[in-house]
């Protein structure tokens, strides 16, 4: 007798397994993100000039070896698996309560928070990618188009307010709360990669660089990838291809004494690569410093950003206001890059509407024109806001810090190195010391491209590097020079003789700034100190039911001022001698002298002197310095610039 064959459900499933195994599986990538910190300028400078290591593969291997040797620090190491066409996220954070509103002080002098928010401190990695079905020429792996946003937040400390000094110990006098200082590092970019490849995503200073003295630490962020279950290749794997349409833009800032920087910039012949090599050598020799370096990978037609900041809370309160709140200052450095060289192409759609389409000026397939915005805040100091030295505990402290912004459209030359701008850090806050006029520093910012364009763009628009120098002259020189400029009916005067006298050290360069500008574009270079000055005025309180007669008291208010140098340049044509509109703003805020600290009226306006020079339709010869403006200083008596004259020298290259 034969029994019937019974097919069970598991057996039925086995019949279909070959069909499922032969179906196409959606590919997925195994991503590993690492952030490595190392102190010192040597590695940072080498990374900016890594034409032989454009992807950063050799740099990664060297830094990992130094991590094992204790010479570098592994700051972050995260892994995530992402399916093609989808987004994944991994986070390891601690949510920290942060007070946002306060009330008090009460009878015991205690200030209490009335509202809170939360801040997540830790590491987050978010990625979205598309895996191409085609193989890269010369590479046996599929291209991975990755949209990446790593973020790292760290609670540095809880600072009591007010603080007598940022670098001091600080005490929580007055019952004020402790507020958090949070360091933030973020990168947003879209690298191209494949299994075994290493991509140097970004470089940035440590967030605490703007708050501490000493040699800065730089953070190097990498991404490595595998495909369909393959883990990333070991650090010593060979790179076998190049990234199509991908560049890494570096913004490197070198700092020199102001007088020396003026001489260097006046004597350069326009060879930016040679100038960069010379100043980098000075950093190695210890006669100049590396004050900043940010870099980020950017693709044609896209935008990328890297930022490294400390969220610094500042209480906003006064004896006249019983409630308290605080504002956040971002201290650190941020670099944002996008493809530049776009022109507007206008078309008309079928329904009659006008549509403007941007077209890239990408000659010969070489991308070398970029829109770049660099923001830097550093040198934070907390100063008492009350002018009376006899009342140090009545109030708190307010922040002063240096802010530098460079925003322009640049074309990187075939060398891959462009001197993009300079800015003086002084005299932002002018001291009353006799030798203060000779103090101060200047930051020189270079923009480099890795790999470099390698060839000149055909038909590229000529850009101009416009330099501005404010010479501080004695009255014996300033008066006749002003008369000569007036006799010339405002036309610029040759400045070669004055430049030579400056180089011989006969008078100081009080301030300088420069920027690069394209025809038809506007560029701006800003270097100011954010100063919150107090103004105390008499205040009469009117008669009320509880106040039988008027009462005169003091009203305390603050005004935040941008004290320093701002240079704005607009290029109006493409002629050999550029026609430009130039605005030079110079604004200083002297420190109160000791005998003025108890003054009931701080005299805000009397203690500042401003200059704003506007030059319109100014035709400048190339490589020939000219004097465009001469005027007497309006500095108050006792300030170093009092009684002197200022001559504005312009040099276009």
């Amino acid at each position: 007798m034969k029994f019937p064959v019974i097919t069970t459900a598991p057996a039925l499933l086995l019949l279909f397994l070959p069909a499922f195994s032969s179906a196409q599986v959606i590919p997925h990538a195994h991503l590993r993100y690492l952030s490595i910190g190392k102190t010192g300028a040597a590695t940072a400078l080498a990374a900016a000039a890594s034409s032989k290591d454009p992807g950063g593969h050799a740099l990664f291997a060297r830094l990992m070896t130094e991590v094992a040797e204790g010479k570098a620090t592994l700051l972050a190491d995260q892994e995530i698996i992402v399916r093609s066409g989808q987004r994944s996220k991994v986070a390891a954070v601690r949510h920290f309560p942060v007070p946002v509103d306060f009330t008090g002080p009460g009878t015991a002098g205690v200030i209490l928070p009335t509202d809170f928010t939360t801040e997540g401190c830790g590491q987050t990695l978010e990625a979205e990618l598309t895996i191409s079905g085609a193989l890269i020429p010369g590479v046996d792996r599929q291209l991975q188009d990755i949209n990446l946003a790593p973020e790292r937040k760290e609670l540095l400390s809880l600072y009591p307010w007010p603080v007598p000094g940022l670098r001091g110990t600080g005490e929580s006098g007055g019952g004020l709360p402790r507020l958090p200082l949070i360091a933030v590092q973020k990168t947003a970019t879209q690298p191209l990669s494949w299994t075994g490849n290493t991509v140097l995503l970004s470089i940035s200073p440590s967030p605490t660089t703007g708050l501490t003295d000493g040699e800065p630490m730089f953070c190097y962020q990498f991404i490595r990838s595998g495909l369909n279950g393959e883990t990333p290749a070991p650090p010593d794997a060979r790179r076998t291809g190049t990234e199509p349409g991908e560049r890494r833009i570096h913004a490197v800032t070198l700092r020199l004494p102001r007088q020396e920087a003026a001489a260097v910039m006046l004597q350069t012949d326009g060879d930016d690569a040679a100038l960069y090599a010379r100043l980098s050598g000075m950093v190695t020799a210890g006669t100049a410093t590396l004050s900043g370096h940010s870099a980020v990978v950017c693709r044609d037609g896209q935008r990328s950003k890297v930022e490294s900041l400390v969220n610094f809370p500042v209480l906003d309160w006064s004896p006249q206001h019983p409630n308290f709140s605080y504002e956040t200052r971002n201290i650190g450095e941020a670099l944002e890059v996008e493809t530049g060289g776009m022109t507007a192409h206008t078309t008309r759609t079928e329904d009659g509407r006008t549509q403007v389409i941007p077209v890239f000026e990408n000659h010969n397939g070489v991308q070398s024109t970029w829109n770049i915005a660099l923001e830097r805040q550093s040198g934070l100091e907390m100063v008492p806001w009350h002018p009376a030295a006899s009342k140090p505990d009545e109030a708190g402290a307010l922040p002063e810090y240096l802010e530098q912004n460079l925003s322009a459209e640049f074309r990187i030359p075939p060398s891959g190195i462009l001197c993009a701008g300079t800015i003086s850090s002084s005299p932002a806050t002018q001291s009353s010391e006799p030798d203060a006029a000779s103090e101060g520093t200047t930051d020189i910012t270079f923009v480099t491209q890795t790999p470099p364009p390698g060839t000149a763009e055909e038909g590229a628009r000529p850009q101009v590097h416009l330099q501005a120098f404010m010479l501080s002259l004695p009255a014996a020189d300033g008066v006749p020079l002003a008369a000569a400029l007036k006799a010339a009916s405002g036309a610029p005067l040759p400045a070669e003789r004055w430049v030579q006298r400056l180089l011989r050290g006969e008078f100081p360069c009080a301030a300088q700034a420069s920027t690069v500008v394209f025809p038809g574009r506007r560029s701006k270079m800003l270097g100011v100190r954010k100063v919150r000055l107090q103004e105390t005025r008499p205040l009469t309180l009117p008669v009320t039911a509880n106040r039988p007669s008027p009462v005169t008291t003091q009203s305390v208010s603050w005004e935040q001022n941008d004290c320093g140098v701002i240079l704005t340049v607009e290029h109006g044509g493409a002629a050999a001698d550029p026609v430009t509109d130039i605005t030079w703003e110079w604004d200083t805020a002297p420190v109160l002298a000791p005998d003025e600290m108890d003054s009931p009226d701080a005299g805000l306006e009397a203690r500042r002197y401003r200059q704003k020079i506007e030059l319109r339709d100014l035709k400048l010869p190339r490589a020939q310095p000219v004097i465009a403006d001469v005027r007497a200083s309006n500095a108050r008596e006792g300030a170093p610039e009092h009684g002197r004259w200022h001559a504005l020298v312009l040099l276009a290259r």
Side-chain angles (χ1 to χ4, degrees):
M1 181 177 179
K2 293 183 178 180
F3 291 94
V5 178
I6 299 175
T7 305
T8 61
L12 288 174
L13 289 176
L14 291 174
L15 297 176
F16 292 94
L17 282 179
F20 280 114
S21 62
S22 62
Q24 183 177 6
V25 179
I26 299 177
H28 60 275
H30 180 180
L31 304 180
R32 184 185 181 191
Y33 160 78
L34 301 101
S35 178
I36 303 173
K38 185 181 179 184
T39 301
T43 301
L45 289 175
S50 55
S51 58
K52 296 182 180 179
D53 182 32
H57 201 117
L59 175 64
F60 174 74
R62 185 167 64 253
L63 287 174
M64 289 297 287
T65 300
E66 292 178 342
V67 168
E69 296 172 347
K71 300 177 182 178
T73 305
L74 186 61
L75 303 174
D77 189 353
Q78 291 181 289
E79 297 189 37
I80 190 172
I81 295 178
V82 192
R83 292 178 65 185
S84 178
Q86 295 188 355
R87 177 181 299 180
S88 296
K89 181 178 181 179
V90 59
V93 299
R94 176 187 178 188
H95 294 282
F96 190 85
V98 178
V100 292
D101 286 309
F102 310 89
T103 185
T107 55
V110 177
I111 296 173
L112 298 176
T114 59
D115 192 14
F116 288 84
T117 186
T118 58
E119 191 75 53
C121 296
Q123 299 177 11
T124 302
L125 176 62
E126 188 170 3
E128 181 179 5
L129 82 150
T130 302
I131 299 176
S132 171
L135 296 179
I136 309 172
V139 181
D140 60 350
R141 301 292 181 184
Q142 292 171 298
L143 183 66
Q144 302 169 19
D145 186 346
I146 309 171
N147 193 333
L148 202 66
E151 179 176 326
R152 187 170 68 92
K153 289 187 177 182
E154 179 185 1
L155 177 64
L156 298 178
S157 62
L158 292 174
Y159 264 89
W161 298 91
V163 289
L166 180 63
R167 299 181 179 93
T169 57
E171 296 183 3
S172 57
L176 292 178
R178 292 175 175 264
L179 297 177
L181 268 65
I182 297 177
V184 181
Q185 281 190 296
K186 295 193 294 185
T187 299
T189 185
Q190 305 84 29
L192 296 168
S193 189
W194 57 87
T195 296
N197 185 39
T198 298
V199 178
L200 174 57
L201 294 176
S202 63
I203 302 173
S204 60
S206 169
T208 58
T209 299
L211 303 180
T212 58
D213 294 325
E215 197 171 17
M217 182 176 78
F218 292 92
C219 304
Y220 306 86
Q221 301 182 68
F222 300 88
I223 188 72
R224 299 175 60 76
S225 60
L227 186 64
N228 292 339
E230 299 172 359
T231 58
D236 59 351
R238 290 187 62 121
R239 169 193 168 145
T240 56
T242 58
E243 305 85 346
E246 184 174 280
R247 304 288 185 270
R248 190 170 60 253
I249 302 299
H250 298 254
V252 182
T253 303
L254 310 176
R255 177 168 294 174
L256 280 75
R258 187 176 66 228
Q259 199 73 5
E260 185 175 353
V264 167
M265 297 306 298
L266 284 168
Q267 292 176 308
T268 181
D269 59 0
D271 186 344
D272 291 349
L275 177 62
Y276 180 76
R278 174 186 175 186
L279 297 183
S280 299
M282 294 175 63
V283 173
T284 304
T287 56
T289 58
L290 178 63
S291 64
H293 181 186
S294 289
V296 66
V297 165
C298 190
R299 301 236 310 271
D300 293 355
Q302 295 186 351
R303 177 183 298 182
S304 297
K305 185 175 184 179
V306 57
E307 52 186 329
S308 182
L309 308 168
V310 171
N311 295 332
F312 195 90
V314 179
L315 276 176
D316 187 10
W317 66 290
S318 70
Q320 284 76 30
H321 299 87
N323 294 325
F324 298 78
S325 62
Y326 71 87
E327 302 174 358
T328 300
R329 300 285 186 271
N330 292 324
I331 308 299
E333 185 166 313
L335 173 66
E336 189 168 6
V337 179
E338 69 175 349
T339 306
M342 292 186 294
T343 58
H345 177 65
T346 304
T347 60
R348 191 169 295 276
T349 59
E350 294 181 357
D351 57 3
R353 292 182 301 174
T354 300
Q355 184 178 13
V356 178
I357 302 175
V359 179
F360 292 100
E361 294 181 354
N362 191 352
H363 304 279
N364 297 331
V366 178
Q367 177 57 49
S368 63
T369 305
W370 305 88
N371 289 319
I372 298 177
L374 176 65
E375 300 180 1
R376 305 175 67 229
Q377 301 85 22
S378 60
L380 180 68
E381 297 285 351
M382 302 298 292
V383 296
W385 63 260
H386 202 284
S390 60
K391 302 177 181 179
D393 299 326
E394 181 177 333
L398 295 175
E400 291 189 6
Y401 58 93
L402 179 66
E403 178 176 284
Q404 296 173 316
N405 291 338
L406 171 61
S407 57
E409 181 180 349
F410 301 132
R411 188 184 70 253
I412 310 296
S415 65
I417 301 175
L418 172 70
C419 182
T422 62
I423 193 70
S424 294
S425 61
S426 59
T429 302
Q430 188 68 277
S431 169
S432 58
E433 297 297 325
D435 60 347
S438 61
E439 297 175 355
T441 59
T442 293
D443 286 340
I444 305 176
T445 298
F446 292 86
V447 175
T448 72
Q449 177 176 313
T450 304
T455 182
E457 294 182 357
E458 295 180 1
R461 295 167 297 162
Q463 60 188 4
V464 176
H465 185 195
L466 181 72
Q467 303 181 52
F469 306 85
M470 180 65 78
L471 308 186
S472 178
L473 307 176
D477 288 322
V479 173
L481 184 59
L485 185 63
K486 183 177 180 180
S489 301
L493 296 177
E496 187 63 36
R497 180 171 69 92
W498 299 95
V499 167
Q500 294 302 320
R501 292 186 60 185
L502 173 69
L503 297 177
R504 291 196 297 267
E506 296 183 17
F507 45 77
C509 174
Q512 71 182 98
S514 72
T515 186
V516 175
V517 61
F518 270 126
R521 294 289 193 268
R522 175 182 295 180
S523 298
K524 185 175 184 179
M525 189 68 173
L526 176 146
V528 299
R529 191 160 185 85
K530 296 286 187 178
V531 180
R532 295 188 71 181
L533 296 180
Q534 176 201 338
E535 191 168 21
T536 306
R537 297 184 182 277
L539 174 66
T540 301
L541 303 178
V543 175
T544 63
N546 298 324
R547 189 184 299 116
S549 60
V551 175
T552 301
T553 182
Q554 289 184 347
S555 172
V556 179
S557 61
W558 299 273
E559 177 181 326
Q560 178 158 314
N561 303 272
D562 292 343
C563 301
V565 178
I566 303 175
L567 175 66
T568 306
V569 182
E570 186 170 357
H571 195 329
D577 294 336
V579 178
T580 57
D581 291 342
I582 300 171
T583 302
W584 167 275
E585 299 176 67
W586 188 28
D587 184 0
T588 66
V591 176
L592 293 177
D595 58 348
E596 298 173 334
M597 293 291 286
D598 288 313
S599 171
D601 187 347
L604 178 67
E605 297 298 328
R607 282 164 173 75
R608 301 174 63 195
Y609 59 98
R610 303 182 174 106
Q611 291 183 3
K612 184 173 183 178
I613 302 172
E614 295 181 312
L615 305 170
R616 297 291 177 259
D617 297 330
L618 186 65
K619 188 174 183 180
L620 296 175
R622 293 259 189 174
Q624 298 180 25
V626 298
I627 294 178
D629 185 90
V630 181
R631 62 184 63 196
S633 169
N634 58 347
R636 68 186 179 95
E637 187 175 357
E641 295 298 315
H642 178 71
R644 299 184 69 83
W645 284 68
H646 294 143
L648 181 62
V649 174
L650 301 177
L651 176 59
R653 295 191 183 276

